[in-house]
PDB file of all heavy atoms in Angstrom:
ATOM      1  N   LYS A 626     -98.230 -22.810  31.524  1.00  0.00           N
ATOM      2  CA  LYS A 626     -97.278 -23.846  31.612  1.00  0.00           C
ATOM      3  C   LYS A 626     -95.897 -23.526  31.171  1.00  0.00           C
ATOM      4  O   LYS A 626     -94.929 -23.970  31.795  1.00  0.00           O
ATOM      5  CB  LYS A 626     -97.828 -24.998  30.467  1.00  0.00           C
ATOM      6  CG  LYS A 626     -99.073 -25.612  30.802  1.00  0.00           C
ATOM      7  CD  LYS A 626     -99.536 -26.601  29.700  1.00  0.00           C
ATOM      8  CE  LYS A 626    -101.001 -27.123  29.990  1.00  0.00           C
ATOM      9  NZ  LYS A 626    -101.441 -28.021  28.792  1.00  0.00           N
ATOM     10  N   GLN A 627     -95.692 -22.467  30.275  1.00  0.00           N
ATOM     11  CA  GLN A 627     -94.407 -22.058  29.861  1.00  0.00           C
ATOM     12  C   GLN A 627     -93.771 -21.401  31.327  1.00  0.00           C
ATOM     13  O   GLN A 627     -92.501 -21.525  31.333  1.00  0.00           O
ATOM     14  CB  GLN A 627     -94.475 -20.987  28.768  1.00  0.00           C
ATOM     15  CG  GLN A 627     -93.099 -20.493  28.289  1.00  0.00           C
ATOM     16  CD  GLN A 627     -92.242 -21.586  28.000  1.00  0.00           C
ATOM     17  OE1 GLN A 627     -92.622 -22.457  27.015  1.00  0.00           O
ATOM     18  NE2 GLN A 627     -90.944 -21.598  28.324  1.00  0.00           N
ATOM     19  N   VAL A 628     -94.576 -20.488  31.740  1.00  0.00           N
ATOM     20  CA  VAL A 628     -94.084 -19.886  32.989  1.00  0.00           C
ATOM     21  C   VAL A 628     -93.571 -20.882  34.100  1.00  0.00           C
ATOM     22  O   VAL A 628     -92.614 -20.656  34.741  1.00  0.00           O
ATOM     23  CB  VAL A 628     -95.083 -18.908  33.579  1.00  0.00           C
ATOM     24  CG1 VAL A 628     -94.780 -18.335  35.048  1.00  0.00           C
ATOM     25  CG2 VAL A 628     -95.281 -17.718  32.588  1.00  0.00           C
ATOM     26  N   ALA A 629     -94.393 -21.950  34.256  1.00  0.00           N
ATOM     27  CA  ALA A 629     -94.067 -23.002  35.193  1.00  0.00           C
ATOM     28  C   ALA A 629     -92.827 -23.521  34.896  1.00  0.00           C
ATOM     29  O   ALA A 629     -91.935 -23.867  35.660  1.00  0.00           O
ATOM     30  CB  ALA A 629     -95.288 -24.086  35.208  1.00  0.00           C
ATOM     31  N   ARG A 630     -92.552 -23.911  33.497  1.00  0.00           N
ATOM     32  CA  ARG A 630     -91.298 -24.558  33.313  1.00  0.00           C
ATOM     33  C   ARG A 630     -90.066 -23.607  33.410  1.00  0.00           C
ATOM     34  O   ARG A 630     -89.115 -24.040  33.976  1.00  0.00           O
ATOM     35  CB  ARG A 630     -91.302 -24.953  31.643  1.00  0.00           C
ATOM     36  CG  ARG A 630     -92.181 -26.093  31.365  1.00  0.00           C
ATOM     37  CD  ARG A 630     -91.831 -26.593  30.018  1.00  0.00           C
ATOM     38  NE  ARG A 630     -92.401 -25.685  29.021  1.00  0.00           N
ATOM     39  CZ  ARG A 630     -93.609 -25.668  28.487  1.00  0.00           C
ATOM     40  NH1 ARG A 630     -94.458 -26.595  28.781  1.00  0.00           N
ATOM     41  NH2 ARG A 630     -93.951 -24.735  27.540  1.00  0.00           N
ATOM     42  N   ASP A 631     -90.317 -22.268  33.127  1.00  0.00           N
ATOM     43  CA  ASP A 631     -89.228 -21.447  33.368  1.00  0.00           C
ATOM     44  C   ASP A 631     -88.888 -21.090  34.836  1.00  0.00           C
ATOM     45  O   ASP A 631     -87.850 -21.023  35.219  1.00  0.00           O
ATOM     46  CB  ASP A 631     -89.629 -20.034  32.684  1.00  0.00           C
ATOM     47  CG  ASP A 631     -89.650 -20.229  31.246  1.00  0.00           C
ATOM     48  OD1 ASP A 631     -89.114 -21.032  30.670  1.00  0.00           O
ATOM     49  OD2 ASP A 631     -90.217 -19.161  30.646  1.00  0.00           O
ATOM     50  N   LEU A 632     -89.957 -21.205  35.668  1.00  0.00           N
ATOM     51  CA  LEU A 632     -89.686 -20.981  37.091  1.00  0.00           C
ATOM     52  C   LEU A 632     -88.985 -22.267  37.791  1.00  0.00           C
ATOM     53  O   LEU A 632     -87.997 -22.106  38.487  1.00  0.00           O
ATOM     54  CB  LEU A 632     -91.055 -20.778  37.881  1.00  0.00           C
ATOM     55  CG  LEU A 632     -91.692 -19.395  37.692  1.00  0.00           C
ATOM     56  CD1 LEU A 632     -93.171 -19.508  38.413  1.00  0.00           C
ATOM     57  CD2 LEU A 632     -90.876 -18.493  38.436  1.00  0.00           C
ATOM     58  N   ARG A 633     -89.478 -23.459  37.280  1.00  0.00           N
ATOM     59  CA  ARG A 633     -88.705 -24.646  37.742  1.00  0.00           C
ATOM     60  C   ARG A 633     -87.197 -24.606  37.369  1.00  0.00           C
ATOM     61  O   ARG A 633     -86.261 -24.918  38.054  1.00  0.00           O
ATOM     62  CB  ARG A 633     -89.349 -25.867  37.328  1.00  0.00           C
ATOM     63  CG  ARG A 633     -90.503 -26.347  38.140  1.00  0.00           C
ATOM     64  CD  ARG A 633     -90.924 -27.739  37.704  1.00  0.00           C
ATOM     65  NE  ARG A 633     -91.422 -27.786  36.420  1.00  0.00           N
ATOM     66  CZ  ARG A 633     -92.685 -27.977  36.020  1.00  0.00           C
ATOM     67  NH1 ARG A 633     -93.631 -28.009  36.963  1.00  0.00           N
ATOM     68  NH2 ARG A 633     -93.138 -28.059  34.734  1.00  0.00           N
ATOM     69  N   GLY A 634     -86.888 -24.058  36.040  1.00  0.00           N
ATOM     70  CA  GLY A 634     -85.519 -23.973  35.614  1.00  0.00           C
ATOM     71  C   GLY A 634     -84.725 -22.854  36.393  1.00  0.00           C
ATOM     72  O   GLY A 634     -83.463 -22.899  36.323  1.00  0.00           O
ATOM     73  N   ALA A 635     -85.494 -21.866  36.978  1.00  0.00           N
ATOM     74  CA  ALA A 635     -84.679 -20.708  37.514  1.00  0.00           C
ATOM     75  C   ALA A 635     -84.376 -21.028  39.066  1.00  0.00           C
ATOM     76  O   ALA A 635     -83.656 -20.167  39.538  1.00  0.00           O
ATOM     77  CB  ALA A 635     -85.597 -19.537  37.384  1.00  0.00           C
ATOM     78  N   VAL A 636     -84.932 -21.979  39.667  1.00  0.00           N
ATOM     79  CA  VAL A 636     -84.734 -22.285  41.043  1.00  0.00           C
ATOM     80  C   VAL A 636     -83.763 -23.573  41.309  1.00  0.00           C
ATOM     81  O   VAL A 636     -83.659 -24.348  40.357  1.00  0.00           O
ATOM     82  CB  VAL A 636     -85.995 -22.360  41.975  1.00  0.00           C
ATOM     83  CG1 VAL A 636     -86.854 -21.145  41.730  1.00  0.00           C
ATOM     84  CG2 VAL A 636     -86.842 -23.566  41.313  1.00  0.00           C
ATOM     85  N   ARG A 637     -83.432 -23.640  42.517  1.00  0.00           N
ATOM     86  CA  ARG A 637     -82.554 -24.725  42.790  1.00  0.00           C
ATOM     87  C   ARG A 637     -83.395 -26.041  42.863  1.00  0.00           C
ATOM     88  O   ARG A 637     -84.577 -26.067  43.087  1.00  0.00           O
ATOM     89  CB  ARG A 637     -81.787 -24.495  44.076  1.00  0.00           C
ATOM     90  CG  ARG A 637     -80.921 -23.348  44.011  1.00  0.00           C
ATOM     91  CD  ARG A 637     -80.443 -22.830  45.461  1.00  0.00           C
ATOM     92  NE  ARG A 637     -81.638 -22.625  46.362  1.00  0.00           N
ATOM     93  CZ  ARG A 637     -81.440 -22.439  47.611  1.00  0.00           C
ATOM     94  NH1 ARG A 637     -80.254 -22.455  48.279  1.00  0.00           N
ATOM     95  NH2 ARG A 637     -82.532 -22.214  48.480  1.00  0.00           N
ATOM     96  N   ALA A 638     -82.699 -27.250  42.963  1.00  0.00           N
ATOM     97  CA  ALA A 638     -83.345 -28.445  43.076  1.00  0.00           C
ATOM     98  C   ALA A 638     -84.221 -28.567  44.374  1.00  0.00           C
ATOM     99  O   ALA A 638     -85.288 -29.271  44.366  1.00  0.00           O
ATOM    100  CB  ALA A 638     -82.298 -29.618  42.824  1.00  0.00           C
ATOM    101  N   GLY A 639     -83.739 -28.159  45.400  1.00  0.00           N
ATOM    102  CA  GLY A 639     -84.403 -28.315  46.723  1.00  0.00           C
ATOM    103  C   GLY A 639     -85.541 -27.365  47.042  1.00  0.00           C
ATOM    104  O   GLY A 639     -86.061 -27.330  47.973  1.00  0.00           O
ATOM    105  N   ASP A 640     -85.576 -26.303  46.078  1.00  0.00           N
ATOM    106  CA  ASP A 640     -86.741 -25.323  46.296  1.00  0.00           C
ATOM    107  C   ASP A 640     -87.962 -25.762  45.687  1.00  0.00           C
ATOM    108  O   ASP A 640     -88.077 -26.820  44.783  1.00  0.00           O
ATOM    109  CB  ASP A 640     -86.330 -23.984  45.522  1.00  0.00           C
ATOM    110  CG  ASP A 640     -84.990 -23.463  46.173  1.00  0.00           C
ATOM    111  OD1 ASP A 640     -84.838 -23.598  47.471  1.00  0.00           O
ATOM    112  OD2 ASP A 640     -84.235 -22.760  45.357  1.00  0.00           O
ATOM    113  N   SER A 641     -89.056 -25.146  46.118  1.00  0.00           N
ATOM    114  CA  SER A 641     -90.415 -25.657  45.684  1.00  0.00           C
ATOM    115  C   SER A 641     -91.118 -24.471  44.870  1.00  0.00           C
ATOM    116  O   SER A 641     -91.069 -23.333  45.209  1.00  0.00           O
ATOM    117  CB  SER A 641     -91.342 -25.977  46.918  1.00  0.00           C
ATOM    118  OG  SER A 641     -90.735 -26.937  47.674  1.00  0.00           O
TER     119      SER A 641
END
Side-chain angles (χ1 to χ4, degrees):
K626 293 177 182 179
Q627 182 62 46
V628 169
R630 285 194 294 270
D631 292 344
L632 284 175
R633 278 195 293 256
V636 300
R637 301 167 302 173
D640 298 330
S641 301

